[in-house]
């Protein structure tokens, strides 16, 4: 729950954790737990392209921070 205190949420669909937008479709019900309780939400349509975050390239200096040790070999 300490993670929830930092502003994160646990999103579930039918008791399973949702970890990808590909796992849900418009109209699906979701259960969302935050630090002080839980609520139900419905999936809407996709976000407009201007609101989506794009992935940025990771510099060589930062790469070790974002890879697992076995991937660095």
């Amino acid at each position: 729950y300490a993670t929830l205190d930092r502003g994160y949420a646990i999103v579930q669909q039918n008791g399973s954790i949702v970890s990808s937008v590909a796992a849900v479709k418009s109209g699906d019900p979701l259960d969302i737990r935050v630090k002080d309780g839980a609520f139900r939400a419905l999936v809407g349509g996709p976000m407009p392209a201007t609101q989506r975050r794009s992935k940025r390239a990771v510099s060589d200096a930062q790469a070790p921070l974002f890879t697992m040790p076995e991937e660095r070999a």
Side-chain angles (χ1 to χ4, degrees):
Y1 290 102
T3 303
L4 299 179
D5 276 339
R6 295 194 312 264
Y8 289 90
I10 299 171
V11 180
Q12 293 182 298
Q13 181 182 32
N14 299 323
S16 297
I17 299 288
V18 175
S19 60
S20 172
V21 295
V24 297
K25 64 182 185 312
S26 185
D28 283 350
L30 301 175
D31 295 312
I32 303 173
R33 175 165 294 284
V34 293
K35 71 176 185 176
D36 60 351
F39 58 92
R40 181 158 272 210
L42 293 177
V43 176
M47 290 176 61
T50 56
Q51 292 181 358
R52 286 188 217 138
R53 292 178 55 180
S54 60
K55 292 184 179 181
R56 290 183 268 165
V58 176
S59 72
D60 289 339
Q62 291 178 322
L65 301 172
F66 297 99
T67 58
M68 298 300 291
E70 58 272 10
E71 295 174 353
R72 293 182 210 147

